[in-house]
Amino acid sequence: MLSSQNYMTDFNFPLEGTYTELPDVLFSKLSPTPVSQPKTIIFNQKLADEIGFDLSGASEEVRTLFFAGNLVPHGTAPFAQAYAGHQFGNFTVLGDGRAIVLGEHRTPSGNRIDLQLKGSGRTSYSRGGDGRAALGPMLREYIISEAMHALGIPTTRSLAVVSTGETVYRETELPGAILARIAGSHIRVGTFEFASLQGDKAVTQALLDYLIDRHFPKIKEKENQPFALLEAVIHQQAELITHWMRVGFIHGVMNTDNMALSGETIDYGPCAFMDTFAPDTVFSSIDHKGRYAYANQPYIAQWNLARLAESLLPLMDGKKEEIITMAEELLNSFEQIYKSKWLSMMGSKLGLSEVGKEDEKLITDLLDWMHKNSADFTNTFLNLCKEEIPEGVLYASEDFQNWHSRWQNRLSKEEQGLESSFALMSLVNPAVIPRNHKVEEALQAGEEGNFKPFHDLLNTLEKPYEDSDHLLPYQTPPEPGEKVLQTFCGT
């Protein structure tokens, strides 16, 4: 076992803990549980440089102990957060059952970000769990979160994965690991649900003030701050879900405790990217009714925001009936806000700088054709990014040829010209995504000690909008025997 005793006296890395200035009920202070044989699988040096996370003065052994949770910097007060959540529509009290925030790091630009260790041992909220994580799911989160960042989608990010040298027991014995994750914060809709559950307005008010100060400072100038926050979050989440839909991403478990109010995608459990276009696509092994299917994601976001509104209602100024009416009207605005963003996004995927009413049918007709013909979502738009008509049996059909002629006619009316339209398309249509069969291939190899497929996949995903011949093995849809039909949470 790597011992931290020799390093305790000289290891000092400044991490703040402003969250622990909130009411005690919102968190529990505790340290990670040391592991027996930590070993760094990957350290994200590029990310560390971006956020000014300088561990250059520490040896690799010390860095490993740090990310394993065996070595806690002097002056820090690690904590697990309490929260509640609607999981598949059912309310339950939760909390960080296997994750501990070491503290908050200040980036060179002055932003405050959380550093959290996922899989770092039992907490007050573990509910009988072992508080540990398996290597496969931690590698999955590393791959997907870094891919999402490269795709230009707000997300938590992965700083390191450390194997623990210990076994975790799920349906089988699996190698253990810890993920070092950074986030704008880990405040969720479920955090406000938990605060509201306390029956003390002061707790919710303190959390609201903290969230506004950390993520929405302009709201401090508003009179009805809870209402202003709800409005801001509605726009924020509509933007995030639009990004997901743009690249065919399916979160898998959009519980209220998995909606971060930092506006970032958080908690990559049974997530996946769509291959063939099908709006009802579901990957989560426990989503039997399709609640979190691809096409349902905007509706679930609105449902989750209604739970946030319920938690904020006691803090809103005015008569109860009037407040409820105002909140309902605001929540109902989500649908139009999202649709406007979605149409603009889909227009960009087809090279349209502005989308009019007549363009909606052009967009939906293409999606209907894709669905009917089981066309690959990513590759269809990638193929449209070329001036010549796509080749292949699928594109030779009369339906597609007619649609393509209509689209070309519409593009000819763009003031900026074809070159500008195709340039726009190349900015929003990725050439490569982390396809599920390639992710699973990398995870299985990693669990067996071979990390080459993992690193090869990461390298491929670094510049997803730059098409190249070397990407071909990662662009090819899975063969029937390679298809991943279900993904698992990995808890």
Side-chain angles (χ1 to χ4, degrees), residues 202-242:
V203 174
T204 308
Q205 184 66 58
L207 183 62
L208 175 67
D209 292 341
Y210 182 84
L211 177 68
I212 289 173
D213 186 61
R214 187 158 173 176
H215 292 299
F216 303 93
K218 292 182 179 178
I219 288 179
K220 288 190 282 189
E221 303 168 4
K222 306 283 186 178
E223 288 187 11
N224 195 337
Q225 293 185 5
F227 190 83
L229 174 73
L230 181 60
E231 183 176 22
V233 173
I234 284 172
H235 284 271
Q236 174 202 72
Q237 294 298 324
E239 181 74 15
L240 180 62
I241 303 301
T242 300

Side-chain angles (χ1 to χ4, degrees), residues 97-98 121-132 169-170 491:
R98 57 171 181 161
R122 287 190 178 93
T123 75
S124 310
Y125 317 109
S126 293
R127 298 184 297 169
D130 60 10
R132 292 305 188 188
Y169 299 90
R170 300 297 181 256
T491 55

Side-chain angles (χ1 to χ4, degrees), residues 29 33 39 45 56 65 107 133 168 210 274 298 306 329 391 406 429 434 463 472:
K29 289 184 179 181
T33 304
K39 180 182 179 181
Q45 185 64 60
S56 59
L65 290 168
T107 69
V168 295
Y210 182 84
M274 206 163 41
E329 289 176 351
E391 297 180 356
R406 289 165 53 202
N429 291 310
K463 297 178 180 179
L472 188 59

Side-chain angles (χ1 to χ4, degrees), residues 344-355:
S344 178
M345 174 272 291
M346 289 301 301
S348 297
K349 286 178 75 69
L350 291 176
L352 309 181
S353 57
E354 291 188 16
V355 180

Side-chain angles (χ1 to χ4, degrees), residues 2 35 37-45 55 59-68 135 139 142 159-165 176-178 180 451 454-455:
L2 281 177
V35 297
Q37 293 180 301
K39 180 182 179 181
T40 298
I41 301 299
I42 187 168
F43 171 60
N44 195 337
Q45 185 64 60
L55 289 175
S59 66
E60 184 175 346
E61 186 176 9
V62 168
R63 190 179 70 191
T64 296
L65 290 168
F66 175 53
F67 287 129
L135 177 61
L139 294 178
Y142 193 105
L159 190 57
V161 175
V162 174
S163 62
T164 62
I178 292 171
F451 295 100
F454 170 73
H455 288 289

Side-chain angles (χ1 to χ4, degrees), residues 233-366:
V233 173
I234 284 172
H235 284 271
Q236 174 202 72
Q237 294 298 324
E239 181 74 15
L240 180 62
I241 303 301
T242 300
H243 273 301
W244 292 2
M245 306 299 275
R246 174 173 64 84
V247 298
F249 175 74
I250 301 165
H251 184 280
V253 187
M254 286 182 66
N255 299 330
T256 55
D257 54 289
N258 288 338
M259 179 178 275
L261 297 178
S262 60
E264 298 165 313
T265 313
I266 192 172
D267 286 341
Y268 295 96
C271 61
F273 285 76
M274 206 163 41
D275 290 311
T276 57
F277 178 70
D280 61 350
T281 301
V282 172
F283 281 99
S284 172
S285 62
I286 56 176
D287 192 0
H288 304 297
K289 297 182 179 179
R291 177 180 174 88
Y292 299 142
Y294 172 77
N296 285 348
Q297 292 180 133
Y299 306 108
I300 293 299
Q302 186 180 32
W303 192 91
N304 288 351
L305 290 166
R307 309 290 77 78
L308 176 63
E310 290 167 353
S311 300
L312 293 174
L313 280 176
L315 303 183
M316 293 183 181
D317 297 328
K319 295 181 180 179
K320 185 176 180 180
E321 295 78 10
E322 294 175 354
I323 293 170
I324 292 174
T325 299
M326 288 173 60
E328 287 177 344
E329 289 176 351
L330 191 55
L331 288 166
N332 289 336
S333 73
F334 176 90
E335 185 175 352
Q336 188 54 47
I337 292 168
Y338 168 74
K339 185 175 181 181
S340 177
K341 289 179 180 292
W342 181 85
L343 281 172
S344 178
M345 174 272 291
M346 289 301 301
S348 297
K349 286 178 75 69
L350 291 176
L352 309 181
S353 57
E354 291 188 16
V355 180
K357 276 190 175 182
E358 68 282 359
D359 296 320
E360 185 172 354
K361 182 168 173 51
L362 183 70
I363 292 167
T364 56
D365 282 353
L366 174 63

